[in-house]
Amino acid sequence: MTTEPAADRPLRGLLPYLLESPRAFALVVASGIAFPALAITTATLGAWLVGSALAGDSAGDLAPGAVALCAAAALTGVAAWWQAYISHDWAFRVLAGLRVRLYDGLERAAPGRILGRRTGDLTASAMADVEKTEMFFAHTAGDYVGAVLVSLASLAVIAVLDVPTALVVLALMALVAVVPFVLAGRAGEQGRALRAELGGLNAEALDGVQGLRELTVFGRGGWYLDRLTARTRRTHRHAAAHARRAGAEQAVTDLLLSLGVVLLPLTAARGGLDVRWLPPLIVLGLASLGPIAAVSATARTLGEVRAAAARVLAIIGFPAHVADTGTRALDGTDAEVRFEDVRFRYDPAGPDVLAGASFTVRPGETVALVGRSGAGKTTCVNLLMRFWDAEGGRVLVGGRDVRTVPVAALRSAVTLVPQDVYLFNLSVRENIRLARPDATDEQVEAAARRAAAHDFVAALPEGYDTPCGERGARLSGGQRQRIAIARALLRETPVIVLDEAVSNLDAANERAVQRAVDEVRAHHTVITIAHRLSTIRAADRVVVLDGGRVAATGTHDELLARDAAYRELVAAQEGP
């Protein structure tokens, strides 16, 4: 499921999911046949009893038919329950699989292919759009098969009883079935517009929740509500247009069914049938239209379902942002990181961010990457982690070009501690254990101690079991960074990258974390992106980036003595 389906045929892209569990799908189809067949049988039996009574049959003659009617009615109720249960149970299992694949698509494409996509819009695809496809799985697949087979079987029985009535029923079936297809183009356009607007509205609402503090601080709550109201009105207009078209389809379908109520008795009455067969013929003719009308009702929503499926399948089909074709294993004993004449640009039409950068970080060494904003420091990390691939030159870990190593193996050998730390709404213990799920409580606590986090964690209301809140909202910035550093230390990878990871720590905690890094670096390669002078001084060596190239390299003292650009950077950190 890694290829993108045709944009104009998204429902076809859902078909493979129908057959992932052939047995379950067969049961869904069976239930889609059983319920309408029993419902029509029950209605026809009831009509036959009425006709037999009109023909003068005695109560004794009608008794077997009455018993059969009661049994058919009971079986119809069971079949209705079974169809609802089996189809929805199966559909929700399929939806769970869709959500997993959608996340796989996002992970495979991150970060480059989802840049610019709003989080709320992606969330809408993961939740609302996937949920919308439930209509296809639960109310289309089995129901359509059942409607066609049961209606055709009913038509055959009607034809045996009276051919003219069968022709009228056939014409009505065709008209009822064709109504949604006549307006399918408009339904598709409306569905795409509505799903896009709903995704935008969801993104707008999420922006407001995440930016509530800023809106409050700057007194812009009214401005934001105006934006949200305008978006809501646009969504309402699209929803209203969708509803009007669906309502028109419903009205035409109801008109055709009403026409059947008039035509079928007139046609059947002219056939010269025995009176006992006239009521069942009329009822069978009307009931046989029911399954077609039911699936016609679901077809009215297929425009929106089609649009939702297109959005979901587009994400599932995202091609990998970097080609994961590597097969070489990393040597866990060699943690050297080397950049050889690396060139890279984010925008093909833009300037090089890295224009021939070359430097080496040896095992057991801590190297600080410094430079002005835009010099390429974070880009080096992105290429090392293979969030992007270098366009020229090579990035090597342990002597192996990272492009020849499987992505999972590379990222299991490099731990990144970002400046913007993300904590899940889990306990402190589970957020630290995220780096190593099999770690014991004692190992988690040891990592927290080394990251200077144990004391504040122990003081929390529930200690290590205290929930961190969404995005770590219950903790301060410095506390979140220490949790992230504890995660990195717990993982014990050969390479550790600290991207301004101590920026929110006070001097005392920074020194404690620096001691922890010093303890582990004997067997690790440590790269730190640094602006703080204290972090730069603690490094064994400093690499100065300027204009995408390495402008200078050496110890802090060496660079102060011989490099004017470095002295300017240091002076800017020290302030006036």
Side-chain angles (χ1 to χ4, degrees):
M1 299 294 173
T2 58
T3 57
E4 188 172 351
D8 58 340
R9 300 191 178 189
L11 293 185
R12 179 177 294 182
L14 294 180
L15 291 179
Y17 297 96
L18 296 177
L19 302 177
E20 284 191 333
S21 178
R23 180 177 177 276
F25 181 59
L27 291 174
V28 171
V29 172
S31 71
I33 296 172
F35 170 60
L38 285 167
I40 290 176
T41 300
T42 301
T44 305
L45 273 173
W48 182 81
L49 286 173
V50 171
S52 297
L54 291 174
D57 288 358
S58 66
D61 294 332
L62 297 176
V67 172
L69 176 62
C70 291
L75 288 175
T76 300
V78 172
W81 170 83
W82 184 53
Q83 183 193 32
Y85 171 78
I86 197 71
S87 62
H88 285 89
D89 178 70
W90 171 72
F92 289 132
R93 291 176 187 273
V94 175
L95 298 192
L98 274 179
R99 288 197 175 95
V100 171
R101 286 180 169 85
L102 186 142
Y103 180 80
D104 286 343
L106 290 173
E107 184 179 40
R108 186 171 57 250
R113 295 190 185 278
I114 60 174
L115 285 176
R117 292 287 299 268
R118 301 180 73 181
T119 304
D121 191 28
L122 291 172
T123 302
S125 288
M127 300 305 297
D129 288 337
V130 170
E131 194 68 30
K132 195 66 182 177
T133 64
E134 182 265 345
M135 177 64 71
F136 175 79
F137 294 113
H139 302 287
T140 302
D143 289 1
Y144 277 40
V145 174
V148 171
L149 293 180
V150 172
S151 294
L152 290 178
S154 301
L155 186 64
V157 173
I158 295 170
V160 170
L161 295 174
D162 186 63
V163 172
T165 302
L167 292 175
V168 172
V169 172
L170 178 60
L172 290 171
M173 283 182 178
L175 290 172
V176 170
V178 81
V179 168
F181 295 99
V182 171
L183 297 175
R186 182 179 297 178
E189 293 174 4
Q190 292 174 340
R192 285 189 293 273
L194 180 57
R195 298 315 299 179
E197 282 296 335
L198 286 170
L201 179 61
N202 192 73
E204 204 72 53
L206 185 61
D207 276 355
V209 173
Q210 292 181 337
L212 187 58
R213 181 181 61 182
E214 284 72 16
L215 292 172
T216 302
V217 168
F218 294 104
R220 298 288 283 170
W223 165 81
Y224 170 73
L225 288 176
D226 288 342
R227 284 175 56 89
L228 191 61
T229 300
R231 196 75 192 231
T232 302
R233 287 173 178 163
R234 290 201 300 273
T235 304
H236 175 264
R237 285 197 297 271
H238 286 289
H242 186 276
R244 284 194 297 270
R245 190 261 317 146
E249 289 185 29
Q250 178 69 60
V252 172
T253 301
D254 290 345
L255 181 62
L256 291 171
L257 294 176
S258 300
L259 185 62
V261 172
V262 175
L263 291 179
L264 286 177
L266 292 176
T267 306
R270 292 183 178 185
L273 282 177
D274 185 278
V275 69
R276 75 178 64 246
W277 289 106
L278 192 58
L281 177 62
I282 295 171
V283 169
L284 181 59
L286 292 173
S288 65
L289 297 174
I292 300 294
V295 298
S296 178
T298 63
R300 288 195 290 274
T301 67
L302 285 185
E304 194 176 356
V305 173
R306 192 178 294 111
R311 285 161 56 87
V312 170
L313 293 173
I315 295 175
I316 290 176
F318 273 160
H321 182 52
V322 294
D324 190 9
T325 57
T327 58
R328 300 187 67 187
L330 284 172
D331 181 357
T333 63
D334 186 356
E336 181 184 78
V337 173
R338 189 162 74 248
F339 279 63
E340 293 181 349
D341 194 29
V342 174
R343 299 177 180 275
F344 178 76
R345 65 180 69 180
Y346 291 101
D347 184 353
D352 286 336
V353 179
L354 292 179
S358 297
F359 62 89
T360 300
V361 186
R362 295 179 291 272
E365 185 180 37
T366 297
V367 169
L369 300 183
V370 303
R372 302 184 188 280
S373 178
K377 303 182 297 297
T378 299
T379 299
C380 289
V381 176
N382 288 338
L383 299 181
L384 173 62
M385 298 292 295
R386 286 203 73 198
F387 294 149
W388 278 268
D389 273 340
E391 297 169 358
R394 297 192 302 169
V395 180
L396 301 101
V397 174
R400 288 168 172 75
D401 189 323
V402 294
R403 289 169 293 198
T404 67
V405 177
V407 171
L410 172 67
R411 293 176 185 171
S412 67
V414 181
T415 296
L416 170 63
V417 182
Q419 181 178 7
D420 183 17
V421 174
Y422 190 96
L423 297 183
F424 290 90
N425 189 24
L426 301 171
S427 68
V428 171
R429 188 189 318 280
E430 290 308 310
N431 268 289
I432 296 175
R433 191 177 274 139
L434 187 71
R436 205 170 112 202
D438 61 345
T440 65
D441 289 349
E442 291 74 19
Q443 290 170 326
V444 169
E445 183 176 326
R449 289 181 182 278
R450 292 160 67 194
H454 174 74
D455 289 345
F456 88 77
V457 172
L460 293 173
E462 299 174 62
Y464 282 85
D465 294 319
T466 302
C468 293
E470 187 176 9
R471 298 183 65 91
R474 298 182 64 179
L475 305 176
S476 69
Q479 290 172 333
R480 289 195 294 270
Q481 283 190 313
R482 279 177 279 173
I483 295 296
I485 293 170
R487 279 200 300 220
L489 298 179
L490 177 65
R491 198 176 186 202
E492 296 185 345
T493 55
V495 181
I496 298 176
V497 180
L498 306 174
D499 187 354
E500 283 294 325
V502 296
S503 60
N504 288 327
L505 301 183
D506 57 29
N509 280 307
E510 183 186 358
R511 286 193 296 271
V513 170
Q514 191 59 57
R515 285 195 297 271
V517 173
D518 289 342
E519 289 177 9
V520 301
R521 72 179 182 180
H523 304 289
H524 299 261
T525 299
V526 181
I527 300 172
T528 178
I529 295 178
H531 289 99
R532 272 191 178 187
L533 184 56
S534 54
T535 305
I536 297 171
R537 283 173 172 162
D540 298 313
R541 197 158 47 88
V542 179
V543 172
V544 183
L545 293 172
D546 185 26
R549 293 182 173 85
V550 174
T553 183
T555 66
H556 170 69
D557 292 336
E558 289 172 347
L559 292 176
L560 275 181
R562 61 179 169 81
D563 192 85
Y566 182 72
R567 286 196 295 272
E568 289 181 9
L569 283 173
V570 171
Q573 292 297 316
E574 292 177 333

